[in-house]
C-alpha cells in the first residue's frame, strides 16, 4: 500500500500505519437511487453497490476486465454462448450460498422483473443454464460481446436470491460484498461495516465506510480541511486551492462526458439541421478553459480520447466543430433565418449551471435564443424524457461499462428516446458492435457506430470531464490507485 503523494512504504502512509479499525469517509453529491441493482437506472449507484454487492466481473486499475465472482469466462460454440466459471467460497450476508443457481436466478430476475432497468442490456440472453454447481452457461439469441463488460456493473451485481421478495431491498441490500450497510439516511449519508466473513480479507482495509452527501463543492472542500472526510471531488476552480491548503489533488479518473441533449420530438430540434447548428455554435475549448480551468478535453464522441474504443476520425474540429457562420446557414435552411427561441433546462448542480451560463451567449450569437429554467438535478430525466418539458439541457454522462451504453439512447424504444429518433445505419452499426469476443474483434464496428450516430445527433458531446479529486494524508490507497469520479473503495483505508 502507498499513500498517493505521500511517498510511503507498503502498509503505511506518510502519517503512520493503516488503522484496521478506522473509518474511511467519502463525500459525494447524491445517495443511491435504490439499493436494488436490477431496478437501478443510475450508473452512479455503482459507487454504493461495489461496497455491498460483488459483481461477476470487475475492472482493475488499468480498466481491464478481471475476475471477481467469476474466475474465468469464455465465449463458446461460435460465440452463441458465454460460459462462466465461478468462485466456490462465497456466501451472501444472509447465509445463502453463491453458486450457478444464484447467477441464473439473478439474471432471470433482471430480465423479467416488471420494473427492471436492465431488460434492454440483457435482451440477448436467451437462457441461463447451470452446467455444474459453479459453472453457468449463458445461451445467446444474438451477439453478446458486451456482456463481460456489462457484468462488471449493475447487470453483474449479485443479490441473494432469498432476498428478492424483501419489501425493503431498495434500502437494505443483501449481497456478498466487502461491507454491509448499517445506516441509510436519504439525502445525507450511508454507513457501512466491514464484512468480516468476506472471501477476500484484503479488500476492506477499513472497519467502517461512510459516504456523505453534499452538493456544494465549497462545502466538500471544507469537509476535507476540517477532518470530516478523507476523499471527495471538487470544482476545477478549486484544484490549486486544494494544493495550497495541503491537500493532495489530481484530475479524477473518469469516463464522463458533458453533453448537450435536445428534444427531437418538437420544434425547433425536430429538424437535424437545427441540432447541427447548435453543435456548430459551441466553442468547446472555451468551455473547457473558461468553466473547467483546463481540466477536460473537447470531444465529439461519448468516450474520452484514451478509451480503447475511441474513434480518432471523429474529432471536435471541422465537420463537428465550432463554426458560427455555418450554424446561421443551417438555421436559415431549417426555416429560421431570424433565429429561434427555446427553453433551456438547467440541472441544479454548480458545474451544470456554469456550463449553461457559457452556452447561452454562444447560442444567442447565431440566433438560438435560450430561456433558462433551473430544475432539480435528480429529476432531470423524468422532467425531460417522461414529461417532455423543455427543449434542451446540459448533462453529465455517467460512467459506462461498455462503449455501446452511452450510444444506446439513440436506438428506438429507449427511455432516453421517447421520440424514437434514429437511423437504420446507426441501428445496424450498434448491433454489429456487439459481435466479437475481444475488444480487438469489436473495435471496427464500434468506430462505425460512432460515425453513424452523427446521422441521429439527438445530443452531442462537449468535453471529457476530469474534475479534481482531493484527499487528505489520512487516506491510504492501493498501489496504482487513481481516485475516480465514481470511485471504488477496494483496498482503501485510513491511517491511525
Amino acid at each position: 500500500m502507498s499513500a498517493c503523494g505521500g511517498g510511503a512504504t507498503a502498509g503505511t502512509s506518510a502519517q503512520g500505519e493503516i488503522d484496521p479499525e478506522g473509518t474511511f469517509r467519502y463525500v459525494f453529491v447524491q445517495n443511491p437511487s435504490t439499493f436494488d441493482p436490477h431496478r437501478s437506472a443510475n450508473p452512479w449507484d455503482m459507487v454504493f453497490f461495489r461496497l455491498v454487492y460483488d459483481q461477476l466481473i470487475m475492472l482493475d486499475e488499468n480498466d481491464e476486465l478481471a475476475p471477481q465472482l467469476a474466475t474465468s469466462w469464455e465465449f463458446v460454440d461460435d460465440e452463441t454462448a458465454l460460459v462462466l466459471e465461478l468462485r466456490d467460497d462465497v456466501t451472501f450476508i444472509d447465509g445463502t450460498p453463491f453458486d450457478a443457481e444464484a447467477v441464473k436466478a439473478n439474471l432471470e430476475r433482471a430480465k423479467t422483473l416488471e420494473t427492471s432497468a436492465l431488460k434492454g442490456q440483457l435482451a440477448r440472453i436467451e437462457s441461463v443454464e447451470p452446467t455444474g454447481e459453479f459453472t453457468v452457461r449463458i445461451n445467446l439469441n444474438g451477439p453478446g460481446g458486451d456482456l463481460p463488460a456489462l457484468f462488471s456493473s449493475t447487470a453483474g451485481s449479485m443479490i441473494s436470491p432469498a432476498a428478492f421478495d424483501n419489501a425493503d431491498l431498495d434500502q437494505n441490500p443483501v449481497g456478498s460484498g466487502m461491507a454491509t450497510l448499517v445506516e441509510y439516511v436519504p439525502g445525507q449519508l450511508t454507513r457501512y461495516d466491514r464484512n468480516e466473513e468476506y472471501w477476500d480479507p484484503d479488500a476492506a482495509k477499513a472497519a467502517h465506510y461512510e459516504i456523505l452527501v453534499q452538493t456544494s463543492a465549497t462545502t466538500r472542500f471544507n469537509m476535507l480541511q476540517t477532518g470530516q472526510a478523507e476523499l471527495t471531488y471538487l470544482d476545477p476552480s478549486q484544484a490549486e486551492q486544494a494544493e495550497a491548503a495541503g491537500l493532495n489533488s489530481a484530475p479524477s479518473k473518469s469516463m464522463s462526458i458533458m453533453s448537450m441533449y435536445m428534444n427531437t420530438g418538437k420544434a425547433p430540434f425536430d429538424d437535424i439541421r437545427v441540432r447541427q447548428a447548435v453543435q456548430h455554435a459551441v466553442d468547446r475549448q472555451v468551455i473547457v478553459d473558461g468553466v473547467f480551468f483546463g481540466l477536460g478535453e473537447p470531444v465529439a464522441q461519448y468516450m474520452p480520447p484514451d478509451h480503447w474504443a475511441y474513434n480518432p476520425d471523429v474529432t471536435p474540429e471541422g465537420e463537428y466543430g465550432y463554426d458560427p457562420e455555418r450554424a446561421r446557414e443551417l438555421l436559415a435552411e431549417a426555416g429560421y433565418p431570424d433565429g429561434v427561441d427555446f427553453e433551456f433546462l438547467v440541472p441544479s448542480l454548480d458545474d451544470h449551471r456554469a456550463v449553461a451560463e457559457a452556452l447561452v451567449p454562444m447560442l444567442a450569437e447565431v440566433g438560438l435564443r435560450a430561456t433558462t429554467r433551473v430544475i432539480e438535478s435528480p429529476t432531470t430525466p423524468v422532467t425531460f424524457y417522461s414529461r417532455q418539458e423543455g427543449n434542451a439541457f446540459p448533462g453529465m454522462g455517467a460512467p459506462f461499462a461498455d462503449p455501446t451504453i452511452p450510444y444506446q439512447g439513440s436506438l428506438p424504444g429507449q427511455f432516453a428516446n421517447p421520440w424514437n429518433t434514429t437511423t437504420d445505419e446507426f441501428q445496424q452499426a450498434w448491433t454489429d458492435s456487439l459481435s466479437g469476443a475481444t475488444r480487438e474483434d469489436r473495435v471496427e464496428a464500434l468506430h462505425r457506430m460512432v460515425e453513424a450516430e452523427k446521422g441521429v445527433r439527438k445530443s452531442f458531446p462537449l468535453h471529457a470531464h476530469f474534475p479534481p479529486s482531493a484527499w487528505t494524508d489520512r487516506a491510504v490507497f492501493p498501489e496504482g490507485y487513481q481516485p475516480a469520479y465514481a470511485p471504488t473503495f477496494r483496498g482503501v483505508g485510513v491511517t491511525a
Side-chain angles (χ1 to χ4, degrees), residues 98 109 140 148 270 404 465:
F98 169 77
R109 180 179 187 262
L140 307 177
D270 56 342
T404 56
H465 190 57

Side-chain angles (χ1 to χ4, degrees), residues 306-477:
D306 61 352
H307 193 276
W308 65 269
Y310 184 82
N311 185 337
D313 295 328
V314 179
T315 65
E317 292 87 31
E319 184 179 358
Y320 311 118
Y322 178 56
D323 187 345
E325 185 57 38
R326 180 58 181 150
R328 295 184 189 94
E329 292 174 357
L330 285 163
L331 281 178
E333 291 173 14
Y336 302 106
D338 299 321
V340 64
D341 299 298
F342 71 97
E343 184 180 32
F344 195 22
L345 305 182
V346 183
S348 58
L349 295 173
D350 291 347
D351 51 2
H352 290 62
R353 288 175 183 260
V355 168
E357 289 174 2
L359 287 172
V360 167
M362 292 182 189
L363 298 173
E365 182 184 348
V366 304
L368 290 156
R369 297 178 292 271
T371 300
T372 60
R373 173 161 64 99
V374 176
I375 59 174
E376 288 299 314
S377 178
T379 65
T380 301
V382 172
T383 301
F384 191 72
Y385 296 115
S386 293
R387 297 202 298 266
Q388 298 190 40
E389 296 180 15
N391 297 103
F393 75 95
M396 187 68 72
F400 52 88
D402 189 81
T404 56
I405 292 177
Y407 284 87
Q408 192 165 343
S410 290
L411 296 174
Q414 303 296 311
F415 172 78
N417 191 9
W419 321 287
N420 292 324
T421 304
T422 191
T423 66
D424 292 341
E425 180 185 8
F426 171 77
Q427 293 182 71
Q428 186 62 58
W430 190 91
T431 301
D432 290 346
S433 72
L434 303 179
S435 295
T438 68
R439 291 176 173 179
E440 290 75 15
D441 293 337
R442 300 178 59 204
V443 71
E444 185 274 333
L446 284 164
H447 285 179
R448 284 195 289 109
M449 176 195 73
V450 170
E451 293 174 345
E453 184 273 336
K454 295 304 179 184
V456 182
R457 217 174 311 200
K458 54 189 283 291
S459 59
F460 68 89
L462 296 171
H463 75 282
H465 190 57
F466 306 111
S469 284
W471 62 96
T472 71
D473 284 337
R474 291 198 69 235
V476 185
F477 301 137

Side-chain angles (χ1 to χ4, degrees), residues 89-368:
D89 57 352
V90 178
T91 303
F92 294 101
I93 61 171
D94 64 354
T96 302
F98 169 77
D99 55 18
E101 291 291 345
V103 175
K104 173 181 171 68
N106 270 269
L107 294 180
E108 288 183 346
R109 180 179 187 262
K111 278 178 58 67
T112 61
L113 186 70
E114 183 178 355
T115 54
S116 172
L118 303 177
K119 293 179 181 178
Q121 293 184 23
L122 302 179
R124 290 165 304 286
I125 294 179
E126 180 68 25
S127 63
V128 184
E129 176 187 355
T131 56
E133 186 176 5
F134 299 104
T135 304
V136 62
R137 176 187 172 100
I138 300 171
N139 298 305
L140 307 177
N141 56 25
D146 59 336
L147 284 178
L150 296 181
F151 287 160
S152 71
S153 191
T154 49
S157 298
M158 294 289 105
I159 310 166
S160 169
F164 284 173
D165 295 328
N166 289 4
D168 63 346
L169 183 60
D170 63 330
Q171 296 192 32
N172 186 20
V174 185
S176 63
M178 61 184 253
T180 59
L181 181 70
V182 294
E183 185 177 11
Y184 176 28
V185 183
Q188 297 184 39
L189 61 85
T190 51
R191 288 195 174 102
Y192 311 81
D193 287 346
R194 179 168 51 214
N195 179 0
E196 299 294 350
E197 305 299 321
Y198 191 56
W199 55 269
D200 180 2
D202 291 328
K205 293 294 185 181
H208 313 284
Y209 295 86
E210 296 181 1
I211 302 180
L212 309 161
V213 177
Q214 180 50 249
T215 59
S216 167
T218 299
T219 303
R220 295 197 301 273
F221 176 82
N222 291 336
M223 291 174 74
L224 291 189
Q225 280 196 298
T226 56
Q228 299 176 66
E230 282 69 54
L231 173 68
T232 191
Y233 75 88
L234 302 174
D235 185 272
S237 65
Q238 297 171 305
E240 292 184 4
Q241 184 183 0
E243 294 181 10
L247 298 170
N248 304 283
S249 179
S252 298
K253 184 178 181 178
S254 171
M255 291 193 295
S256 292
I257 306 294
M258 175 68 82
S259 301
M260 178 78 157
Y261 298 87
M262 295 165 284
N263 184 331
T264 62
K266 59 185 177 183
F269 300 128
D270 56 342
D271 191 317
I272 192 171
R273 292 170 295 186
V274 178
R275 306 197 295 273
Q276 292 170 328
V278 177
Q279 185 167 6
H280 285 306
V282 175
D283 190 332
R284 295 176 173 91
Q285 191 65 55
V286 167
I287 292 176
V288 170
D289 293 339
V291 177
F292 296 103
F293 293 77
L295 289 180
E297 188 164 347
V299 291
Q301 56 190 286
Y302 297 103
M303 289 173 275
D306 61 352
H307 193 276
W308 65 269
Y310 184 82
N311 185 337
D313 295 328
V314 179
T315 65
E317 292 87 31
E319 184 179 358
Y320 311 118
Y322 178 56
D323 187 345
E325 185 57 38
R326 180 58 181 150
R328 295 184 189 94
E329 292 174 357
L330 285 163
L331 281 178
E333 291 173 14
Y336 302 106
D338 299 321
V340 64
D341 299 298
F342 71 97
E343 184 180 32
F344 195 22
L345 305 182
V346 183
S348 58
L349 295 173
D350 291 347
D351 51 2
H352 290 62
R353 288 175 183 260
V355 168
E357 289 174 2
L359 287 172
V360 167
M362 292 182 189
L363 298 173
E365 182 184 348
V366 304
L368 290 156

